[in-house]
Every structure is written in C-alpha cells, then in structure tokens.
Amino acid sequence: MNLHLYDTKSRSLQPLKPVHEGEVGIYLCGATVQGSPHIGHLRSAVAFDTLIRWLKKNGMKVTYIRNITDIDDKILNKSAEAGQPWWAWASKFEREFAQAYDALGLLPPTFEPRATAHILDQVQLVERLIERGHAYPDGAGNVYFDVHSLDDYGSLTHQDLAQMRTTEDESQIDSSVEAGKRDPRDFALWKAAKPTEPSTASWQSPWGPGRPGWHLECSAMSRRYLGEAFDIHGGGIDLRFPHHENEQAQSHGAGWPFASLWVHNAWVTMKGEKMSKSLGNSLVVADILQRVPAPVLRFALGTVHHRSTVDYSEETIHAAAAAWERISGFVQRAGEVAGVTESEVAERAVPQAFADALDNDLNVAGGLAVVYERMKAGNQALADGSEGEVREALLDVRAMLDILGLDPASPQWVSEEGDVSGKDKALDVLVNHLIEQREQARAAKDWSTADSIRDGLAAAGVVVEDGADGARWHIG
C-alpha cells in the first residue's frame, strides 16, 4: 500500500515501511483508568480505529496493542479520596472505558495489557538501563533515568535539554521522589513505596518495594508484544512530552530501535479549551450517549482529520446528526432496491479517489467527499430506476463507510438498541404520510397545498424527487 503518515519526530509525511513485510505493529497509549472516559479520551481510539480498518482493508496483518495504566499517582490519590481500594477504583473505570469503546464500534485491540501485569518486564528494563549506564538508584528505593546519558534526548519533541526545567509530568512530581535525583531533569523509573500508600500498591524489586514510574510500562509492554522495533506509536498530542519523549529515551537507552513512526492526534475542545477535568468541561461518554446516538458521536469525532482539533458543541452534534441521517437514509433506500451482503461489502474495492485520500495521512474529510459523490450518483440512479447503478453505488458507499466505522447497515449499528435505524423508520413513516397528502393535493389540483408540503419538507432537509414510479425522498 502507499500510505503516508505525518511523523511527529521528522515533522513530515513519511511512507509506512513495515518492519516485517505485510505486517504492521501499532502501540497506542490507552487509558489511565482514574475516572470515567470523556470524549477527549475517545479521540485517539476513534482515529486509530480508522487507521487499523484501512490497513486491514489493504491486506495488512495488524498487531494492535492498546495499554491500560492501572497504577499511578492519580489513581492512588483519587481512590484514597473516595475511600476505595485503588485496584477496585481502577477496575471500575477500566470497565467504563471498555463499554465506551464498544458503544462507538471500535475494533478490539489484539491485546490490551495492564501495567500491573507486567511488573517483571519493567523491573528487567530498569536493570538493563542501569547496566548500560543510563539509570541510577538513589539508595532510598528510587531509580532514575539519567537524561544526560542519552545523546538524542529531546529529539522526538525537538527540545534542548538545557532549556528544560523538568522532564516529569507536573502531576507526578513530589519531594520524596525529587530528593534523590542527581539532576532535576532526570525522571523516575521506579518509585519507592511510601508509608502513606497502601501496601498492595507496591512490588518487590532489587531496590526495595515500590512501583514503576509512569513511562516505564509502555517501553516494556511495546517490546513484549511488538518487539524491539515496531512500526507506529500513537497517542494524543498532549502525550508527546514528557511521556513519549521519555518512552523513547528508555527504549533507546535499552538499545532498542523502538517506533519507526510517531502519529499523534489533536484533542477535543469546547469553545477553544482543551477537554479536561481541571477546566470543568469534561463530557463523559456515557452521559452523552443518553442523548446522542452512538454513530452520531463517532461521526463527530471521527470525520475530522486526526491532526485537526474537534471543537465539540451542539452545532457539531447537529451537523453530525444531519450527515448521519443523510447517509443512513440513502443506505436504507438503496438497500430496499438492491440488497447486498456483508461479504460483498467486505470484498468491495473502494473508489481510487477514496484510497488516495486515506493514503494521504488518513484524510477522512477527503474520503467523505467521495462517499457523498457516490451517494449523489446513487440517489440519481434511484430516481431513474436503474437498479444496477443503485447496487454499484451502494457497494461503494458501504465499503467506504466501513473503513470509517460508519456503515449504517453493519451489525454494529443495526443491532444497537434504540439505534438510528429505528429513527429512520419513524422518519420514513412521517415523511411518506406527508408525501401522500401532497399527492392527494396534486390530484385535486390544490397546487398551493402541494407546494406548501414540499417546501416544509425541504426546510427540514428532506428532498422530494418525483419519478415515474411516484415520489421518493432523501435527506438533502
């Protein structure tokens, strides 16, 4: 395939050149299960779901790893505030994330490893870094990465180490960890157990009981499941520093090539502000899905270029809902004329213009334009009564929508309780009732009433087309 992706490290479009021919290894930073998932969390998952679908459509074998951070400072602090065991707190929100992923129709990862299940891998990595001269223990149970020991530290985010104050995430800094550092810009690989933290939140190590630093798990787990060199590392742009910079440092320090391409998605904003609990504007996915159909939410999050910000608002949802109604309406009407099977959709090659768009850094907006072009041709074929052309258009449209995870006729959306297909049926009954009244008015030569009904439907976005077999409608 001819896929080019924007690589954060080189700051340019780069061709995908798999480490192993015909296979692609992807590591995506997943959830830190400290609280309920909001739509900002889902942005990465939706964007990478499209990438994975496109790779598979092109015949690639994809190994997709999405981790779960189930132990860190935030989880310990929040569970303590709630008076719950940290592991129960993490498990509760892990399930909520799984439900959100399923609700939006995301393909499951090949494996979803937890940080707490890979303590041995992380301890072994720390030992390797000490042996290679890139890490040091402080004698009090902490181990740090020596950023000055690695020539390419800062190369991912193009920063000069001399200009940095710290390489720790602000939320991870505390005096007990800082105390043992030779340089304040070194970062923690292993944190000594604290008497204020539960004993269950520590593991034995050569340096005493403790737990891994935030970044360590991803280097250890990507190596475990994808090898020392793999193809794509992804995540939100807010993870570039310090998390991804430190991941790269650990892995390069261990002597591993690590990721060939770094792909980052932009975040979700509300009125220009980044989605975050600190701003008080987080929108929990489960709450949104009480009032917004899941495919509409996916459309809003997934049809904007992954490097462009999604500004979430009622207007955004209304636009996505109108687009979804238009698409699902066409698929339903065309399917009534020319039914196609799931296997035919899966085997259908997408139009070249769509392929070119997605090969160009996953340009989903460009791909969606091709979807609309084929829908327009399909609607014309419906009006003309050309069943063969309807069938061809329907196959093209559904094959493209499947890559976007938005095929209305797929089992994901057809089987969803209270899904939009049910709303389509209700809308179909109401619109056809009005069309029948219009036909009666026309038969009675009551042109004013007939025109009024048609104009009212048009104002609601419903286009009525008169044909030899009667009137048909679709969302304009």
Side-chain angles (χ1 to χ4, degrees), residues 13-32:
L13 282 178
Q14 294 291 328
L16 173 64
K17 297 179 179 179
V19 174
H20 303 288
E21 186 175 354
E23 302 179 14
V24 178
I26 298 176
Y27 188 92
L28 177 63
C29 280
T32 297

Side-chain angles (χ1 to χ4, degrees), residues 295-322:
V296 171
L297 180 57
R298 172 159 185 151
F299 192 101
L301 295 176
T303 56
V304 175
H305 194 283
H306 67 278
R307 289 193 290 117
S308 297
T309 298
V310 175
D311 194 42
Y312 186 87
S313 66
E314 287 301 316
E315 291 75 16
T316 303
I317 291 300
H318 288 157

Side-chain angles (χ1 to χ4, degrees), residues 142-197:
N142 301 294
V143 183
Y144 307 97
F145 187 93
D146 178 1
V147 293
H148 291 282
S149 71
L150 196 71
D151 291 339
D152 73 344
Y153 189 87
S155 64
L156 174 62
T157 52
H158 305 278
Q159 296 188 79
D160 182 357
L161 184 59
Q163 303 301 316
M164 297 180 192
R165 181 180 63 83
T166 181
T167 60
E168 298 277 20
D169 184 89
E170 295 291 341
S171 67
Q172 307 281 339
I173 296 176
D174 65 67
S175 57
S176 63
V177 174
E178 293 295 303
K181 291 183 178 180
R182 297 174 182 170
D183 187 297
R185 289 162 292 191
D186 294 342
F187 62 88
L189 295 169
W190 187 263
K191 296 183 176 184
K194 299 177 183 177
T196 56
E197 295 176 349

Side-chain angles (χ1 to χ4, degrees), residues 222-455:
S222 62
R223 191 252 185 182
R224 164 68 68 177
Y225 296 102
L226 297 174
E228 296 178 1
F230 59 95
D231 302 298
I232 299 171
H233 194 311
I237 57 173
D238 52 328
L239 296 178
R240 289 176 299 181
F241 187 85
H243 186 46
H244 288 167
E245 189 74 68
N246 290 351
E247 275 187 61
Q248 177 180 266
Q250 292 165 167
S251 297
H252 285 184
W256 306 333
F258 205 43
S260 298
L261 296 176
W262 287 89
V263 179
H264 292 97
N265 62 276
W267 45 48
V268 180
T269 62
M270 283 189 69
K271 298 180 181 179
E273 292 186 281
K274 177 180 176 287
M275 297 291 302
S276 69
K277 295 186 185 301
S278 62
L279 292 176
N281 60 9
S282 296
L283 290 177
V284 174
V285 174
D287 292 343
I288 294 176
L289 293 178
Q290 293 296 315
R291 59 184 186 277
V292 177
V296 171
L297 180 57
R298 172 159 185 151
F299 192 101
L301 295 176
T303 56
V304 175
H305 194 283
H306 67 278
R307 289 193 290 117
S308 297
T309 298
V310 175
D311 194 42
Y312 186 87
S313 66
E314 287 301 316
E315 291 75 16
T316 303
I317 291 300
H318 288 157
W324 177 248
E325 291 280 3
R326 178 182 176 189
I327 290 169
S328 57
F330 168 74
V331 170
Q332 180 181 340
R333 292 191 305 277
E336 292 171 355
V337 173
V340 299
T341 66
E342 293 298 313
S343 61
E344 287 178 302
V345 172
E347 295 168 4
R348 181 76 169 191
V350 298
Q352 188 60 47
F354 181 90
D356 291 343
L358 265 69
D359 277 344
N360 181 22
D361 197 29
L362 288 182
N363 181 4
V364 292
L368 200 57
V370 183
V371 173
Y372 288 139
E373 288 175 6
R374 292 300 290 141
M375 281 174 50
K376 182 178 179 180
N379 279 320
Q380 186 59 55
L382 283 169
D384 296 341
S386 303
E387 183 176 333
E389 293 181 20
V390 171
R391 179 179 176 80
E392 291 299 302
L394 178 60
L395 280 169
D396 281 348
V397 167
R398 286 194 60 191
M400 291 185 285
L401 291 173
D402 183 58
I403 304 303
L404 304 179
L406 289 167
D407 176 10
S410 69
Q412 171 71 28
W413 306 127
V414 170
S415 62
E416 183 190 338
E417 186 176 357
D419 69 353
V420 76
S421 64
K423 295 180 181 180
D424 280 343
K425 293 174 184 176
L427 182 62
D428 187 59
V429 170
L430 293 172
V431 172
N432 283 327
H433 178 66
L434 289 172
I435 289 176
E436 184 179 343
Q437 289 182 335
R438 175 174 173 265
E439 291 302 314
Q440 291 172 357
R442 293 179 69 187
K445 301 188 184 302
D446 184 356
W447 308 117
S448 176
T449 299
D451 290 344
S452 177
I453 293 173
R454 181 165 187 158
D455 291 345

Side-chain angles (χ1 to χ4, degrees), residues 5-14 156 260-263:
L5 295 167
Y6 184 85
D7 171 46
T8 299
K9 187 170 183 176
S10 66
R11 295 191 285 198
S12 63
L13 282 178
Q14 294 291 328
L156 174 62
S260 298
L261 296 176
W262 287 89
V263 179

